[in-house]
Amino acid sequence: MRSHRLALVAATLLTAFGAASANAATEIQFWHSMEGALGDRVNEIAANFNKTQSDYVVKPVYKGNYGESMNAGIAAFRAGNAPDILQVFEVGTATMMYAKGAIKPVQQMSEEVGDPIDPKNFIGAVAGYYSAPDGKLVSMPFNSSTVVFYYNKDAFKKAGVDADKPPKTWQELRAVADKLKAAGQECGYTTSWPSWVQLETFSAWHNVPYASKDNGFGGLDARLNIDSPLHVRHLTFLADMAKAGEFMYGGRGDDPNALFISGKCAMITGSSGLRANIMKNAKFEFGTSTLPYYSDVKGAPQNTIIGGASLWVFANKKPEVYKGVTKFFKYLSSPEVAAKWHQQTGYVPITTAAYELTQKEGFYDKNPGTDVGVKQLNVQTTAQSRGVRLGYLPQIRQIEDGAIENIVAGKVSAKEGLEDAKKRGDELLEKFEKSVK
């Protein structure tokens, strides 16, 4: 009798375990680089998705800044334990695309599981950047940003400058910086992400090539064009402003943001994603406007290029994982979710529907300037303005940042600094071309 009871208990437990296993949700590992308030919003999005269904559980994990998380993802893939989703900054796009066998292209994945993601739903400049030559998405657009111009309205008023008429050209910006300086402002203008803003985006905005071969989209044998007369002119202009005390170099990446938020600098060119931080921490009224340009350059202004990051899916995962990832991506790009992410963060809406919903809700009317990034991006691009897709771009940016530092510090001329950066950058591009071939 005792043996019979034990057998019954064992059978019942096995049946229960089998049923639980059959109904267990598929776990999806999502490694990202969103910290602080942005990290909280990523966690919120994942939690809300998990509540909408019971088949999949997305688990977001913060893995450090963009460079750290990308390195962690690649190392994990080599070790055989890659996450399912990895957030990679836009400059890592070429590296990820040419990582043979490591990546599952997003559109291919969605089509294979019978739930296609349509690239036509996305803002043109966004979809174009993250697509293969055949127009199919290779990664999932998520936190796309672009460069915009922020200014301190209180400082403008104090200097006698019309706070409702921000400078539109570089010539006007310098004139404003001069008035701010005369009014006692410690710093007129600064910039975050120097190479992204002052070289990559500057090139697209003025419709001139940053690199050959359509900025790398047309082939691996692309080489830099950052020593052109216009680029030399612009870096000379910034160096002159720095010498006159009108421009302050604040470091690389996001470091200069603190100069603007603290009120030390009255103008900054930076990511549209900076808006949430300014709103939370700045003690002054601020405005958002389009990037300055040189009015005598034919074809300017054209369009800005995207920054931020997209989501990549690793290869060799189970079909059930790909089904869940596809559902999560479609949830991310749904009008309501994408619009809320855009409105809360300052990142641009990745889909046309999210942009239209935000318009319909009156968000742009209530928050003037929040549509600047979208308008700068939502333009028919050219071969020079589609974006930049080069191998070793993160390392090239480091070289360029170093060159900009030396130029604005007066250590080298703009021509010398940019020619040296081009030479060293081209050596990296040649190395990448050989490694891929």
Side-chain angles (χ1 to χ4, degrees):
M1 284 292 291
R2 189 165 185 264
S3 297
H4 180 65
R5 283 199 302 272
L6 286 172
L8 281 172
V9 170
T12 302
L13 287 172
L14 283 170
T15 302
F17 178 76
S21 298
N23 294 325
T26 300
E27 186 176 298
I28 296 169
Q29 284 286 326
F30 171 20
W31 289 7
H32 67 87
S33 300
M34 300 281 91
E35 59 183 335
L38 292 173
D40 293 339
R41 291 189 174 104
V42 167
N43 291 335
E44 180 187 341
I45 288 172
N48 289 339
F49 168 75
N50 293 339
K51 289 174 187 174
T52 65
Q53 43 72 52
S54 57
D55 294 327
Y56 311 100
V57 175
V58 172
K59 293 200 169 181
V61 181
Y62 174 73
K63 296 297 285 189
N65 64 35
Y66 283 138
E68 292 166 346
S69 64
M70 184 173 172
N71 290 336
I74 292 171
F77 174 77
R78 289 172 179 162
N81 57 358
D84 304 305
I85 304 169
L86 177 67
Q87 183 186 34
V88 178
F89 55 170
E90 93 285 3
V91 293
T93 299
T95 300
M96 298 299 285
M97 281 187 72
Y98 288 106
K100 303 286 187 187
I103 297 305
K104 185 75 168 178
V106 162
Q107 194 168 342
Q108 178 187 332
M109 170 193 71
S110 68
E111 289 171 354
E112 287 178 0
V113 301
D115 194 11
I117 294 172
D118 188 351
K120 293 188 182 70
N121 293 334
F122 297 89
I123 295 286
V126 175
Y129 190 81
Y130 294 118
S131 294
D134 62 4
K136 291 197 171 188
L137 288 171
V138 289
S139 64
M140 179 67 187
F142 177 47
N143 57 310
S144 290
S145 61
T146 196
V147 185
V148 297
F149 175 77
Y150 298 104
Y151 64 102
N152 183 329
K153 287 191 171 186
D154 293 351
F156 271 42
K157 291 171 185 174
K158 183 181 175 184
V161 179
D162 191 337
D164 295 320
K165 290 184 179 179
K168 296 296 183 184
T169 67
W170 283 109
Q171 296 93 328
E172 290 173 0
L173 181 144
R174 185 166 190 182
V176 170
D178 197 46
K179 289 181 180 179
L180 288 163
K181 181 184 174 185
Q185 182 73 35
E186 186 175 352
C187 157
Y189 167 67
T190 191
T191 185
S192 61
W193 296 98
S195 55
W196 177 45
V197 176
Q198 305 298 342
L199 292 176
E200 294 170 36
T201 302
F202 174 86
S203 302
W205 194 231
H206 289 83
N207 202 25
V208 297
Y210 168 83
S212 62
K213 292 285 180 175
D214 296 347
N215 292 342
F217 279 84
L220 289 166
D221 54 340
R223 298 296 182 260
L224 298 177
N225 191 57
I226 57 173
D227 60 340
S228 78
L230 182 60
H231 291 97
V232 170
R233 169 189 175 183
H234 182 54
L235 267 295
T236 300
F237 177 84
L238 290 180
D240 289 346
M241 281 191 70
K243 190 175 180 181
E246 299 156 342
F247 168 71
M248 182 179 290
Y249 179 81
R252 305 183 183 188
D254 278 333
D255 289 350
N257 293 348
L259 292 175
F260 180 74
I261 292 171
S262 67
K264 192 171 186 178
C265 291
M267 299 179 285
I268 187 172
T269 41
S271 169
S272 57
L274 171 59
R275 181 180 178 83
N277 198 0
I278 298 174
M279 290 182 67
K280 182 180 179 181
N281 298 304
K283 306 299 183 187
F284 53 82
E285 184 184 359
F286 72 97
T288 311
S289 187
T290 51
L291 292 187
Y293 66 98
Y294 289 106
S295 55
D296 59 332
V297 175
K298 187 178 179 181
Q302 170 57 36
N303 64 272
T304 55
I305 57 177
I306 64 167
S310 65
L311 307 181
W312 293 78
V313 182
F314 278 101
N316 308 322
K317 301 294 182 179
K318 293 179 181 178
E320 196 57 32
V321 169
Y322 289 143
K323 283 183 185 177
V325 171
T326 299
K327 283 192 178 297
F328 179 54
F329 284 176
K330 295 196 97 169
Y331 176 80
L332 279 180
S333 59
S334 64
E336 295 76 18
V337 175
K340 185 177 180 183
W341 171 256
H342 158 56
Q343 294 170 24
Q344 289 182 334
T345 64
Y347 286 113
V348 298
I350 56 172
T351 66
T352 305
Y355 175 53
E356 290 172 349
L357 177 61
T358 303
Q359 271 185 318
K360 186 179 177 182
E361 292 174 345
F363 181 80
Y364 298 130
D365 294 330
K366 297 171 191 168
N367 301 275
T370 50
D371 59 345
V372 168
V374 193
K375 288 179 177 177
Q376 288 183 163
L377 280 175
N378 204 17
V379 176
Q380 184 65 44
T381 60
T382 69
Q384 290 77 246
S385 71
R386 182 181 176 187
V388 177
R389 185 178 287 171
L390 300 174
Y392 294 138
L393 191 52
Q395 294 91 328
I396 290 171
R397 276 189 178 177
Q398 292 293 319
I399 291 171
E400 292 171 342
D401 283 345
I404 292 171
E405 287 167 2
N406 288 331
I407 291 167
V408 298
K411 294 179 180 178
V412 296
S413 70
K415 191 171 188 297
E416 291 171 327
L418 291 175
E419 284 178 348
D420 179 66
K422 171 188 163 52
K423 179 176 176 292
R424 293 166 61 200
D426 284 350
E427 288 170 357
L428 283 177
L429 291 173
E430 187 176 352
K431 182 180 176 183
F432 183 77
E433 181 185 3
K434 289 177 179 176
S435 71
V436 171
K437 286 183 175 178

